[in-house]
Amino acid sequence: MEKRLKLYGFNNLTKTLSFNIYDVCYAKTEREQKDYIAYIDEQYNSERLTSILCQVTEMIGATVLNISKQDYDPQGASVTLLISESGLPEKIDRSCNCGKYTAAYAGDATIAAHLDKSHVTVHTYPEYHPDNAIATFRVDIDVSTCGTISPLNTLDFLIDSFDSDIITIDYRVRGFTRDTSGKKLFIDHKITSIQDYIKDETLRRYDTMDINVYQANIFHTQMLIKELELQNYLFKTDVYEIPPKERLAISNSLRREMIEIFSGTNVYE
């Protein structure tokens, strides 16, 4: 077990993990595209997302103070969890629901809650464009913690929770804390790359790229799926129903879409 740092007072470091994934699908007709969006919306509704975030909270050893969740029309969902580093504080704002989402908070009600030290949020963005028959599903997850807990150990679970073709991960440690001698500590754990916290089996499936600013404790990793098995990207269509030349064209179209998202630029214009 890693030796704990002896600190003066509270650990004031803020550790923020931003996890962004894209799932890409080929849906040829307008009807298929709308059906895909409806399917994704159901698969990743606020209930399922809340379950995922609660597991993340448990994994980092935190306690849920409050849950706010919402499904949107025509599509998409958002969930926010306010969390505590350890057990429930003795004094807690009465507006907090301690993780219990009840009918009292449904509809257009606004939830105001006490934020103890940390929060976890997720937002989904399903979309498609009728001209190129490609639909995408984006998930943004942010885990921000104060104190000793760190969200990095949840990465494998988050990656496995979604069909991830492109993954973008940012991790930053802000602020400083002090040891008992008064020396400032701007980071309290060792890290050379976000990839250090992702299992080898997962890394073998992706092409990866790092951009790290060590002096500022800023770490960035991008991941692009290597193998594209066309059947996995066809919505309600069997690959053998498609002529070979069209299969190749679809595969190329999907790969171009992924490369542009990974690169953050319109490469093929």
Side-chain angles (χ1 to χ4, degrees):
M1 183 179 292
E2 188 176 348
K3 187 178 179 181
R4 282 181 170 269
L5 294 170
K6 289 190 176 182
L7 303 178
Y8 174 80
F10 175 65
N11 187 329
N12 292 308
L13 292 172
T14 298
K15 301 157 189 171
T16 302
L17 177 72
S18 295
F19 175 86
N20 170 241
I21 73 105
Y22 288 88
D23 175 56
V24 181
C25 177
Y26 182 84
K28 187 173 182 178
T29 67
E30 184 178 353
R31 179 64 185 178
E32 286 177 351
Q33 291 167 350
K34 290 181 178 179
D35 286 348
Y36 169 76
I37 296 298
Y39 166 77
I40 285 293
D41 224 30
E42 177 61 29
Q43 284 290 106
Y44 298 104
N45 58 29
S46 63
E47 288 288 345
R48 167 110 191 266
L49 295 173
T50 298
S51 175
I52 291 172
L53 293 194
C54 284
Q55 290 180 72
V56 168
T57 302
E58 184 178 347
M59 290 172 71
I60 62 177
T63 301
V64 175
L65 295 179
N66 191 36
I67 298 175
S68 176
K69 59 182 178 177
Q70 183 64 55
D71 291 295
Y72 298 107
D73 185 11
Q75 69 257 349
S78 297
V79 180
T80 299
L81 270 63
L82 307 182
I83 61 179
S84 168
E85 183 179 355
S86 53
L88 292 176
E90 292 180 5
K91 294 183 180 179
I92 183 170
D93 192 311
R94 291 183 180 180
S95 63
C96 290
N97 61 25
C98 297
K100 299 175 183 178
Y101 186 87
T102 66
Y105 297 105
D108 296 327
T110 299
I111 300 175
H114 169 70
L115 173 58
D116 183 63
K117 296 175 183 175
S118 315
H119 65 272
V120 186
T121 65
V122 60
H123 305 280
T124 66
Y125 304 88
E127 68 89 37
Y128 66 91
H129 194 287
D131 291 345
N132 63 8
I134 292 179
T136 63
F137 171 60
R138 184 175 116 230
V139 179
D140 291 347
I141 296 178
D142 289 283
V143 185
S144 184
T145 66
C146 294
T148 59
I149 58 178
S150 174
L152 283 170
N153 291 330
T154 65
L155 275 175
D156 284 329
F157 171 74
L158 288 172
I159 292 171
D160 291 342
S161 295
F162 301 94
D163 294 324
S164 309
D165 296 314
I166 306 104
I167 305 171
T168 302
I169 309 167
D170 294 289
Y171 179 67
R172 183 171 185 180
V173 181
R174 294 183 174 90
F176 67 90
T177 190
R178 293 181 187 270
D179 64 16
T180 53
S181 69
K183 179 183 177 181
K184 296 182 184 71
L185 301 173
F186 295 92
I187 193 166
D188 62 355
H189 60 89
K190 293 180 180 179
I191 177 174
T192 56
S193 168
I194 292 172
Q195 295 184 49
D196 297 342
Y197 292 84
I198 302 174
K199 60 188 177 185
D200 292 339
E201 178 187 349
T202 299
L203 291 174
R204 284 193 290 269
R205 294 169 44 220
Y206 291 87
D207 288 318
T208 59
M209 178 181 72
D210 273 4
I211 303 173
N212 300 318
V213 185
Y214 295 108
Q215 187 175 1
N217 293 322
I218 298 173
F219 304 88
H220 174 84
T221 295
Q222 290 177 226
M223 304 168 65
L224 175 66
I225 197 78
K226 290 179 180 178
E227 300 295 329
L228 194 159
E229 188 174 336
L230 185 56
Q231 183 61 68
N232 295 336
Y233 295 87
L234 299 177
F235 187 69
K236 292 186 175 180
T237 303
D238 191 281
V239 67
Y240 295 107
E241 298 174 6
I242 303 172
K245 285 187 178 180
E246 188 176 347
R247 288 183 218 166
L248 180 59
I250 294 171
S251 296
N252 289 338
S253 181
L254 288 165
R255 180 54 72 180
R256 284 195 297 267
E257 184 81 357
M258 293 179 192
I259 289 172
E260 288 192 336
I261 294 172
F262 179 78
S263 303
T265 185
N266 294 300
V267 177
Y268 297 97
E269 275 192 347

